[in-house]
C-alpha cells in the first residue's frame, strides 16, 4: 500500500494519537543514521510514516539532528509528501501561544549544519529553486484540513531558523522582526531545502509554544512551553486526523 504522506514530529509530538502501528523500520543511509526507526501505520484507513525528529525520547538537539539521513530515509521508502511539525516562538502579534501556523517563507540563520546532498561526485554544480520553500500542494491540504476540523490557524508566516539549542536574546528577536520574521524555531533548515533537493513535497505546521524573547514581560520557562504545547499539539493532532479524511 502506498504511503500517503510522512509526518516528521517535532518537540511535543513523538507519537500520533489514533495511529495503528504496523511496524517500525530501521533505515540505514549513506549519510549516517536517522533520528530513529521509521514508524509505519494506518490512520483513518490510510498508510502513513512517522519519524520523531529529535528521537523518540527527545534526546537529539536541533543542531545535532541528522537532517540528511532523515529525509533520505523517508525518500527511500517511497514517501513523496512530508508534513513537518515544529514548536516555535511567536514574534508578531498574530502568532500567539498555542496557535497553529502554516508558514510560507523561511529565513535561514543556522550555520555549520550539513545542508546539501550536492557535494561529492558531481558532473555539474547543482542549484535548486527555493523561492517558495514550502510545497503548495501540501500547504493547501493542511489549510483545507484546518478548515474541515474548524481549527484556528494562521495561513502564512515567515519562519526564522536559528541555530539553537539556546533560546534567542531579546535583541536577536528584535532583529528577526526587522528582517520580516513572524516565527522563530530551530529545525526548518536545512530540513526544507534538503526535502526540495530530493524532490519531496514538503510543508510545515508550526505550533506556537511561547512568545519569543522580549515579546512578553515574563521570562521564558520550560513549564510555560510545555503547557502551551499540550494545548497546541492537541490541535495539531486534530489537524493530522483531518488531513487523512
Amino acid at each position: 500500500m502506498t504511503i500517503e504522506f510522512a509526518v516528521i514530529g517535532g518537540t511535543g509530538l513523538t507519537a500520533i494519537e489514533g495511529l495503528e502501528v504496523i511496524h517500525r523500520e530501521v533505515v540505514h543511509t549513506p549519510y549516517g543514521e536517522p533520528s530513529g526507526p521509521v514508524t509505519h501505520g494506518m490512520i483513518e484507513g490510510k498508510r502513513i510514516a512517522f519519524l520523531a525528529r529529535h528521537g523518540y525520547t527527545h534526546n537529539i538537539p536541533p543542531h545535532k539532528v541528522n537532517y540528511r539521513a532523515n529525509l533520505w530515509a523517508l525518500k527511500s521508502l517511497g514517501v513523496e509528501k512530508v508534513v513537518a511539525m515544529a514548536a516555535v516562538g511567536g514574534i508578531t502579534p498574530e502568532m500567539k501561544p498555542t496557535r497553529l501556523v502554516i508558514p510560507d517563507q523561511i529565513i535561514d540563520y543556522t550555520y555549520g549544519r550539513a545542508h546539501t546532498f550536492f557535494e561529492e561526485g558531481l558532473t555539474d554544480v547543482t542549484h535548486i529553486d527555493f523561492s517558495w520553500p514550502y510545497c503548495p500542494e501540501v500547504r493547501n491540504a493542511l489549510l483545507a484540513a484546518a478548515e474541515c476540523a474548524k481549527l484556528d490557524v494562521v495561513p502564512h508566516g515567515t519562519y526564522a531558523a536559528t541555530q539553537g539549542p539556546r533560546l534567542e536574546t531579546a535583541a536577536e528577536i528584535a532583529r528577526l522582526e526587522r528582517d520580516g520574521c513572524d516565527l522563530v524555531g530551530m529545525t526548518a533548515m536545512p530540513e526544507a531545502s534538503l526535502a526540495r533537493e530530493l524532490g519531496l513535497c514538503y510543508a510545515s505546521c508550526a505550533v506556537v509554544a511561547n512568545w519569543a524573547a522580549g515579546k512578553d514581560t515574563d521570562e521564558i520557562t520550560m513549564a510555560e512551553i510545555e503547557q502551551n504545547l499540550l494545548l497546541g499539539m492537541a490541535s495539531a493532532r486534530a489537524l493530522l486526523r483531518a488531513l487523512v479524511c
Side-chain angles (χ1 to χ4, degrees), residues 151-237:
L151 295 170
D152 179 26
V153 304
V154 182
H156 54 78
T158 296
Y159 182 127
T162 59
Q163 180 69 0
R166 68 167 177 85
L167 299 178
E168 299 73 29
T169 68
E172 287 169 332
I173 294 300
R175 174 204 172 191
L176 298 182
E177 187 168 17
R178 290 194 298 273
D179 285 352
C181 299
D182 302 290
L183 306 163
V184 60
M186 302 173 188
T187 59
M189 291 295 290
E191 194 173 85
S193 58
L194 291 170
R196 181 65 54 86
E197 287 186 354
L198 290 177
L200 293 168
C201 189
Y202 171 102
S204 177
C205 173
V207 179
V208 183
N210 57 279
W211 284 115
K215 291 299 172 180
D216 198 2
T217 55
D218 297 326
E219 178 184 356
I220 300 172
T221 67
M222 291 310 300
E224 172 196 4
I225 290 173
E226 289 166 2
Q227 181 60 38
N228 288 332
L229 281 178
L230 280 176
L231 298 172
M233 284 301 174
S235 297
R237 291 184 177 94

Side-chain angles (χ1 to χ4, degrees), residues 21-40:
V21 175
I22 300 172
H23 67 98
R24 293 181 173 87
E25 181 174 2
V26 175
V27 183
H28 301 290
T29 87
Y31 304 96
E33 298 305 303
S35 296
V38 177
T39 300
H40 295 262

Side-chain angles (χ1 to χ4, degrees), residues 104-107 128-135 196:
D104 59 348
Q105 276 296 336
I106 301 171
I107 300 179
I128 57 167
D129 174 35
F130 205 51
S131 304
W132 302 97
Y134 295 111
C135 171
R196 181 65 54 86

